[in-house]
Amino acid sequence: MPPSGTHDTDVGPDLAGLDAITGAVSDGAGVPEVVRAAARVLGSSLVLTDRSGTVLAEAARSPADVKSLLADGKDVEAIELRVADEPVGILRMRAAVDRSETLLRLVTTLIASEVERVRAPDRASEQAVDQFVHVLFGPKPPSDTAIRAEAAELGLDLEAGAVVVVARAHARVPVEDGWRDRVRAVAERGARAAISGTVAALPQRTDAAGAEIVLIVPGDDDAAIRACEAVLREFQASLSGHTFTLGRSRVAPAPGDLPRAGKEALLAANVAEGDDSQAPLAFDDTGAYRLLLPAMSEDPAELQRFYAETIEPLVAYDEQYETELVLTVETFLECDGNVAATAQRLFTHRHTIRYRLERVRELSGLDVGSTDGREKLSLGLKAMRVLGIVHRRGPASEEGVSAGRVP
């Protein structure tokens, strides 16, 4: 509990703010949402850690502010949270000269109770989880029995099934060293706020601006949906200047089904990369893309070759000349080959659309006026998304017929 102070102001005007905290608790919104509500009530940046020092929640202005709080500087107050005289965590905040100690005691009591309510067994080390996921989704996954035994050592309960979630964050702002570890921590605490037994791994990625987290969520589809929603909320609250992608698998009823679930989550995440919406995408909602899962799993080189023969020349042209050939083909196919509808959707003159489609034919050898050409381009676009290739979209500065957008 907080140390007793000599000064205690009237808490009446502040009690209304407690409704947000108690509402978050009663709604089961999770520890991060409770701490954000507490930060608003107290008017201070907060960082909550558990007994082992793992950050459970943060409500601060920036990552630098979080680091400053964790460094326990002279202006930082570390308040030990206890339930029934047992320590459950530490809340760090900026020391304030003029504050209500009564209000602070009420807030910290609510936070401590919520931490105790959702507290799970001690977590396995990050290295152990990373190794487990690396082997699980590798070329030679272990047997059902081996997966079950390893999961038990990690404290991962697979008896009621599990769902795999692939969560990605892409930086649109400069990032610091250790950024991917922060993304993992944010994703894990969001998921565990909803489903406490979730584990999170950080595979290696070569994308300098992206971080990919693999989450294994014990339970059914409802549990996975709650975990995805909580992860997205935590991403949006803690990682400003980023875009996010989440894909989830179907339920793996037995441990031996987890490798299959991992492939499904990866495909869903890859397909979701091409959408502007950040809403989580379920494998069941990927439509015809599901038909390409065997190709992605068993012969990705063939899928890559098909992409190279159809869409890759358009992607290269777009990146070199800042054009929108790929977007134009996507929209043209979505509009059932109607040039006027494509132009209307892209806010572009129809003569420009015809010019771009002719350039598509020159680059790919595929004519959108033929059934075969449209089919191959459509499959090429699907192959691109299944492979997780995201193209940059330019401002349509190609030559020909004004090349620009109409007012």
Side-chain angles (χ1 to χ4, degrees):
M1 296 300 298
S4 58
T6 57
H7 175 238
D8 197 1
T9 60
D10 178 18
V11 301
D14 296 318
L15 288 178
L18 292 174
D19 287 343
I21 304 177
T22 56
V25 171
S26 61
D27 292 342
V31 173
E33 200 64 38
V34 172
V35 170
R36 280 191 283 273
R40 293 191 293 270
V41 171
L42 297 174
S44 176
S45 294
L46 303 176
V47 173
L48 172 66
T49 58
D50 63 14
R51 294 173 300 175
S52 67
T54 300
V55 175
L56 298 180
E58 60 185 54
R61 295 185 299 273
S62 65
D65 195 20
V66 173
K67 285 185 177 180
S68 175
L69 287 166
L70 290 173
D72 287 330
K74 62 181 181 180
D75 63 335
V76 176
E77 184 175 357
I79 303 171
E80 185 178 52
L81 304 181
R82 289 178 171 270
V83 174
D85 207 33
E86 180 184 357
V88 297
I90 294 177
L91 184 70
R92 289 175 172 83
M93 62 182 294
R94 300 292 177 193
V97 176
D98 185 14
R99 73 176 184 205
S100 166
E101 295 299 328
T102 300
L103 180 65
L104 182 59
R105 284 195 294 272
L106 288 171
V107 170
T108 53
T109 298
L110 286 169
I111 294 174
S113 298
E114 182 66 3
V115 171
E116 177 64 16
R117 185 181 71 82
V118 301
R119 188 172 66 178
D122 291 338
R123 307 175 188 188
S125 71
E126 293 179 349
Q127 294 83 356
V129 174
D130 288 350
Q131 180 62 24
F132 172 66
V133 169
H134 175 74
V135 174
L136 183 63
F137 302 131
K140 294 182 179 180
S143 66
D144 185 286
T145 302
I147 294 173
R148 191 184 302 273
E150 183 64 24
E153 289 188 12
L154 298 176
L156 177 60
D157 184 3
L158 302 177
E159 293 306 311
V163 175
V164 178
V165 175
V166 170
R168 293 174 182 156
H170 297 279
R172 297 292 182 264
V173 294
V175 295
E176 301 176 345
D177 292 340
W179 170 72
R180 288 178 178 81
D181 291 327
R182 173 171 167 76
V183 173
R184 183 229 293 265
V186 172
E188 183 181 33
R189 70 170 177 254
R192 289 176 70 92
I195 307 297
S196 61
T198 300
V199 298
L202 177 62
Q204 293 295 321
R205 268 178 66 87
T206 57
D207 183 359
E212 179 177 281
I213 312 301
V214 176
L215 301 157
I216 301 179
V217 183
D220 56 12
D221 270 329
D222 288 341
I225 290 171
R226 295 202 307 274
C228 284
E229 291 172 348
V231 169
L232 184 57
R233 282 198 305 270
E234 197 64 17
F235 274 169
Q236 292 169 338
S238 303
L239 297 172
S240 60
H242 296 70
T243 59
F244 315 110
T245 302
L246 288 96
R248 63 180 174 86
S249 72
R250 294 176 294 178
V251 175
D257 295 318
L258 280 173
R260 179 266 301 165
K263 295 172 184 176
E264 292 177 354
L266 179 61
L267 183 141
N270 286 350
V271 172
E273 287 276 13
D275 291 333
D276 294 330
S277 170
Q278 294 186 4
L281 180 65
F283 175 76
D284 278 339
D285 295 332
T286 57
Y289 289 96
R290 290 188 294 171
L291 301 177
L292 296 177
L293 179 61
M296 184 185 81
S297 304
E298 299 167 12
D299 194 2
E302 181 59 32
L303 204 60
Q304 180 73 43
R305 281 194 293 272
F306 189 82
Y307 160 74
E309 294 169 0
T310 55
I311 300 299
E312 189 173 41
L314 312 184
V315 172
Y317 190 89
D318 278 349
E319 292 183 350
Q320 182 175 0
Y321 296 106
E322 295 188 326
T323 54
E324 293 187 335
L325 298 186
V326 174
L327 176 62
T328 300
V329 170
E330 287 178 327
T331 308
F332 178 78
L333 295 174
E334 290 171 1
C335 292
D336 297 323
N338 187 305
V339 171
T342 304
Q344 185 177 19
R345 185 178 295 186
L346 295 179
F347 302 100
T348 306
H349 198 284
R350 60 182 179 276
H351 294 323
T352 301
I353 299 299
R354 292 194 179 96
Y355 170 82
R356 293 179 187 173
L357 295 177
E358 178 60 23
R359 183 57 55 89
V360 168
R361 186 189 64 77
E362 294 172 357
L363 293 170
S364 68
L366 299 172
D367 186 356
V368 297
S370 70
T371 301
D372 181 67
R374 289 195 296 271
E375 286 180 350
K376 287 182 177 177
L377 287 167
S378 178
L379 285 172
L381 289 168
K382 286 182 172 62
M384 178 182 73
R385 294 184 71 174
V386 167
L387 291 166
I389 300 170
V390 182
H391 68 283
R392 294 199 300 271
R393 296 174 179 176
S397 59
E398 75 270 24
E399 301 175 356
V401 200
S402 300
R405 301 180 185 279
V406 297

